[in-house]
């Protein structure tokens, strides 16, 4: 009988040089999110970036009380993404929870868990993108219930933005948000614009579970203002902080401006 030693052929591994390593971007995603991974995969396609995901247990409802329960898990989930490897950046994918928990607390939790200085969350990213575009007058399309919309509206006002119209879908379950038909989005936007007397500088479509990125460019062409989404602004914010010179076409003028 042939032994393993007789057939074993010792080989030598060749490792990627540190300078040739792709950028590693961590993403903490809600267990109920159906959209962000797919949309980010489209954005980062062809770039020297590895997207590494950790899922966070959460309630099915999108309410302030349910959103607050995630705070205790963010750092732990971040720490599970390549625990022995330093990440280049890490993000937390929940717009409403970033508001309820607090964007600065989310930043700290991501830094501590992910051992990484560059972080992002949708609310911080949205404000950074709006400043980059010099957009002050906003319209918002939100899937949330009033309990979430009201503090979101107040936070935007406190940050110095004029919100001239707020479209609310009043959906309480995250799976409802992720199951919306993206082909219905233009009809929602048409209703939003029909209710406004002036054109906003930008329209923000809130929630990482709200499918919209594939239509942002065509909506900008039709209405002549910026169209932003939670997933788009957070992808831009990460790439902007990493100083990655890679204008990305097809997902709105924000990503094309990199």
């Amino acid at each position: 009988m042939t032994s393993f030693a007789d057939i074993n052929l010792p080989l030598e591994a060749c490792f990627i040089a540190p300078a040739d390593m792709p950028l590693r971007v961590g993403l903490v995603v809600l267990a109920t999110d159906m959209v962000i991974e797919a949309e980010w995969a489209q954005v980062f396609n062809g770039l020297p970036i590895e997207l590494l995901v950790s899922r966070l247990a959460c309630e099915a409802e999108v309410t302030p009380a349910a959103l607050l329960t995630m705070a205790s898990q963010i750092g732990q989930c971040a720490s599970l993404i390549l625990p022995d490897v330093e990440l280049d950046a890490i993000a937390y994918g929940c717009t409403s929870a970033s508001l309820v928990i607090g964007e600065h607390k989310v930043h700290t939790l991501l830094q501590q868990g992910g051992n990484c200085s560059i972080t992002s969350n949708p609310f911080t990213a949205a404000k950074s993108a709006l400043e980059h575009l010099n957009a002050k007058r906003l319209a918002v399309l939100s899937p949330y219930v009033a309990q979430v919309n009201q503090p979101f509206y107040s936070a935007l006002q406190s940050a110095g933005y004029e919100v001239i119209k707020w479209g609310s879908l009043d959906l309480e379950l995250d799976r409802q948000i992720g199951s919306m038909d993206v082909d219905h989005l233009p009809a929602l936007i048409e209703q939003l614009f029909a209710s406004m007397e002036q054109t906003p500088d930008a329209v923000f479509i809130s929630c990482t579970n709200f499918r919209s990125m594939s239509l942002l460019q065509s909506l900008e062409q039709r209405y002549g203002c910026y169209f932003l989404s939670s997933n788009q602004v957070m992808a831009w914010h990460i790439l902007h902080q990493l100083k990655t010179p890679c204008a990305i076409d097809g997902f709105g003028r924000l990503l094309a401006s990199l």
Side-chain angles (χ1 to χ4, degrees), residues 23-29 37 49-54 81-82 85 87 89-90:
L23 295 170
R24 291 188 170 112
V25 175
L27 177 62
V28 176
V29 181
E37 286 182 78
I49 290 175
E50 288 182 348
L51 180 60
L52 306 158
V53 176
S54 180
I81 302 175
L82 296 186
V85 177
L87 300 177
I90 189 167

Side-chain angles (χ1 to χ4, degrees), residues 12-254:
E12 186 173 338
C14 180
F15 299 100
I16 302 172
D20 296 329
M21 279 286 188
L23 295 170
R24 291 188 170 112
V25 175
L27 177 62
V28 176
V29 181
L30 273 59
T32 52
D33 195 305
M34 306 176 188
V35 176
I36 187 171
E37 286 182 78
E39 290 198 336
W40 268 32
Q42 293 173 12
V43 171
F44 295 142
N45 182 41
L47 298 180
I49 290 175
E50 288 182 348
L51 180 60
L52 306 158
V53 176
S54 180
R55 287 269 174 170
L56 182 152
C58 61
E59 302 290 337
E61 297 80 15
V62 184
T63 63
L67 295 168
L68 275 173
T69 64
M70 287 187 273
S72 61
Q73 300 182 65
I74 293 173
Q76 173 64 16
C77 280
S79 72
L80 296 176
I81 302 175
L82 296 186
D84 297 324
V85 177
E86 185 175 346
L87 300 177
D88 295 287
I90 189 167
Y92 171 58
C94 186
T95 314
S96 50
S98 298
L99 282 159
V100 173
I101 296 169
E103 58 181 314
H104 300 298
K105 184 173 182 179
V106 169
H107 168 73
T108 300
L109 291 169
L110 288 174
Q111 279 194 324
Q112 292 173 347
N115 189 28
C116 177
S117 60
I118 294 178
T119 79
S120 186
N121 66 77
F123 186 56
T124 299
K127 291 191 297 179
S128 181
L130 290 167
E131 181 179 355
H132 175 75
L133 299 172
N134 194 30
K136 295 292 186 182
R137 186 188 303 114
L138 311 179
V140 176
L141 177 58
S142 163
Y144 313 127
V145 296
Q147 292 171 283
V148 177
N149 282 329
Q150 182 59 55
F152 190 6
Y153 171 64
S154 298
L156 287 172
Q157 282 190 312
S158 297
Y161 298 104
E162 178 190 1
V163 183
I164 61 175
K165 187 61 65 174
W166 194 287
S168 303
L169 289 162
D170 200 33
L171 300 176
E172 186 170 330
L173 299 178
D174 205 23
R175 65 173 176 270
Q176 293 176 310
I177 300 171
S179 299
M180 287 191 294
D181 185 353
V182 69
D183 291 334
H184 184 58
L185 178 59
L188 296 175
I189 297 298
E190 186 173 349
Q191 292 176 62
L192 195 65
F193 271 78
S195 69
M196 292 188 285
E197 296 181 357
Q198 53 186 325
T199 299
D201 297 328
V203 175
F204 180 62
I205 301 170
S206 186
C207 190
T208 61
N209 209 16
F210 197 144
R211 300 176 201 277
S212 60
M213 277 189 56
S214 62
L215 296 182
L216 297 179
Q217 183 166 294
S218 62
L219 289 169
E220 286 184 338
Q221 291 169 349
R222 177 174 179 181
Y223 292 100
C225 63
Y226 293 107
F227 273 78
L228 310 176
S229 75
S230 291
N231 293 338
Q232 176 216 41
V233 296
M234 197 161 60
W236 170 85
H237 191 224
I238 288 288
L239 294 171
H240 181 68
Q241 291 181 89
L242 289 171
K243 297 179 172 57
T244 307
C246 54
I248 300 170
D249 294 323
F251 305 105
R253 285 182 283 169
L254 177 67

